[in-house]
Amino acid sequence: MTNTDDEAANSAKQAEGDAVARRAVITADALIQQIRDTADKLAADESSRGDLKILSRSLRELRYAFKVFAPYRHRRKVTVFGSARTPEDAPSFQAALEFGKKIAEKNWLVITGAASGIMEAGHLGAGRENSMGLNIMLPFEQDANEVILGDEKLVHMKYFFTRKLMFVKECDAVVCFAGGFGTLDEAFEVLTLLQTGKREMCPVVLVDEPGGYYWKRFHEFMLDPLLKQRLISPEDLAIYKVTDNCDEAIEETLGFYRNYHSMRFVRDKLVLRIQEAPSPELFEQIQTEFQDILVRGQFKLSDPLPHESDQPDLAPLPRLVFEFNRRSLGRFRMLIDCLNQQSIEPALREFPEP
């Protein structure tokens, strides 16, 4: 191939990338127009005042929350869930404080519900500059803790569903300490979203106080009756980790991003961006071990696809590209673990049979 041919090929590739970027801008404009069109249809539908209030408030809450989080999207964030009623002298409070401190030292931001208890502990450990808050307005337990009160990174929200959306949308990891109905609700929602592929895979760590049993009992419930009655699959257990050790929680959180960087669907293909391509030996093992998660074809190592031209900062990263069946999410998590550990060992992990 001549230099002229190379230049022509590169020019064509650049033109294709530019066209994709232009379509992305047009798509954003089209989405805004869809919001306007939907608002006009509400009037035509003669929607009730109550329905309009819910939609109006939800849209305003989310718009403002997006605005607050936008300047910090370049930093990794962990969402910390746990009880607002945990006293400062409780072992779980101290564990959450230690976790917040250690993860902030790695330049992560800590997102909590901004109230007292475990939420305040996470913020105390991280410090105000490394804390973000999503406070829910309730008749009780609604005041923001002193660490985040008045900070520009604090958002007050009326609805739980908009608040939970922000908790999950903006984070790179979820860490749960002991809590009540709210904590269990949040933990189950995250696990459901990961199990069904409704959010990108991320580490979920369930942290007991040292020697504690709160999340150990949760795991036992996963085994019996859920797994025993075939209500979940054995591989679903790979989506979360239970520990009572803060350092293990930190390692599970950071280790997920040791090699794995991010993912993106491009039409029928799943693109995994990684820091380092697998060795030839590991790549061949992946081809064999993870055939069950493919719709067709094989895994391929690739440069950035043309549709990724709107993310030029990620262009240097190697890609693992494949047609994912979009249902084997536990196995998919195991694939990420293999890439992070540069070993096929995580794929050989044994799970209890139903």
Side-chain angles (χ1 to χ4, degrees):
M1 198 175 195
T2 66
N3 289 338
T4 303
D5 291 335
D6 287 338
E7 291 174 1
N10 290 334
S11 178
K13 187 175 182 179
Q14 181 63 46
E16 183 179 3
D18 292 343
V20 170
R22 286 195 297 272
R23 287 197 295 274
V25 173
I26 294 171
T27 300
D29 291 341
L31 288 171
I32 292 174
Q33 185 58 49
Q34 284 181 18
I35 294 173
R36 296 191 183 103
D37 293 342
T38 301
D40 291 339
K41 290 176 182 177
L42 288 168
D45 294 342
E46 298 183 354
S47 300
S48 70
R49 182 173 177 274
D51 290 345
L52 293 173
K53 285 180 66 178
I54 292 173
L55 284 170
S56 175
R57 181 60 185 254
S58 300
L59 185 61
R60 284 185 290 129
E61 282 194 353
L62 289 173
R63 184 211 66 83
Y64 180 67
F66 294 160
K67 179 182 177 181
V68 170
F69 274 82
Y72 303 97
R73 287 190 175 136
H74 65 286
R75 290 183 63 182
R76 296 286 188 193
K77 304 175 195 67
V78 56
T79 290
V80 173
F81 293 127
S83 176
R85 307 183 185 191
T86 305
E88 293 185 11
D89 58 352
S92 55
F93 187 101
Q94 298 302 316
L97 190 152
E98 181 184 1
F99 178 86
K101 180 177 183 295
K102 289 185 175 181
I103 202 71
E105 289 173 351
K106 300 298 183 179
N107 200 37
W108 280 54
L109 290 168
V110 175
I111 309 171
T112 82
S116 56
I118 295 297
M119 294 171 274
E120 183 174 9
H123 281 168
L124 277 171
R128 187 181 181 96
E129 67 279 7
N130 296 309
S131 296
M132 301 192 76
L134 293 165
N135 193 27
I136 189 73
M137 292 183 286
L138 296 172
F140 61 95
E141 292 178 353
Q142 71 177 48
D143 292 335
N145 62 65
E146 292 297 324
V147 180
I148 197 70
L149 184 64
D151 193 275
E152 62 180 10
K153 304 189 299 302
L154 172 65
V155 181
H156 297 277
M157 310 191 83
K158 180 177 181 179
Y159 297 124
F160 274 111
F161 72 89
T162 53
R163 181 180 183 238
K164 286 198 290 184
L165 172 62
M166 293 304 300
F167 273 136
V168 178
K169 173 184 178 296
E170 296 292 340
C171 75
D172 300 283
V174 174
V175 174
C176 300
F177 292 85
F181 293 161
T183 300
L184 291 172
D185 172 54
E186 289 152 346
F188 271 120
E189 173 149 351
V190 171
L191 294 176
T192 300
L193 293 172
L194 293 176
Q195 184 205 41
T196 56
K198 286 296 186 179
R199 88 134 275 163
E200 294 181 6
M201 190 59 65
C202 72
V204 176
V205 194
L206 311 178
V207 186
D208 279 327
E209 63 184 50
Y213 59 85
Y214 182 96
W215 293 113
K216 288 184 177 66
R217 295 280 177 86
F218 174 92
H219 180 63
E220 291 170 4
F221 180 70
M222 296 298 104
L223 298 177
D224 185 5
L226 268 67
L227 181 61
K228 185 175 182 179
Q229 297 183 17
R230 300 180 184 274
L231 303 175
I232 61 174
S233 300
E235 293 80 11
D236 292 333
L237 301 174
I239 295 175
Y240 67 88
K241 179 181 179 65
V242 176
T243 182
D244 63 355
N245 184 288
C246 180
D247 289 335
E248 283 188 6
I250 294 290
E251 171 57 27
E252 179 73 5
T253 303
L254 300 180
F256 185 85
Y257 297 99
R258 180 171 291 114
N259 190 21
Y260 170 84
H261 182 278
S262 57
M263 59 174 275
R264 177 174 177 173
F265 279 100
V266 176
R267 295 181 178 174
D268 58 347
K269 294 181 174 62
L270 176 55
V271 181
L272 290 188
R273 280 82 71 106
I274 50 183
Q275 305 287 352
E276 181 182 349
S279 67
E281 180 184 6
L282 177 58
F283 183 65
E284 288 303 316
Q285 291 173 328
I286 287 173
Q287 293 282 19
T288 302
E289 180 65 31
F290 289 98
Q291 277 291 315
D292 59 301
I293 75 173
L294 302 181
V295 175
R296 65 181 67 86
Q298 292 185 314
F299 295 92
K300 295 181 180 179
L301 295 173
S302 172
D303 293 328
L305 303 187
H307 283 76
E308 297 181 272
S309 61
D310 58 335
Q311 295 177 294
D313 54 316
L314 302 182
L317 297 177
R319 267 73 169 164
L320 185 67
V321 181
F322 55 100
E323 292 190 43
F324 181 45
N325 63 26
R326 300 198 183 207
R327 66 175 180 274
S328 303
L329 278 304
R331 291 279 291 157
F332 174 57
R333 170 60 201 264
M334 294 163 69
L335 170 61
I336 293 176
D337 289 343
C338 289
L339 293 170
N340 284 327
Q341 297 181 29
Q342 290 289 340
S343 169
I344 201 65
E345 288 300 319
L348 305 180
R349 174 181 172 187
E350 294 184 359
F351 295 97
E353 289 298 323

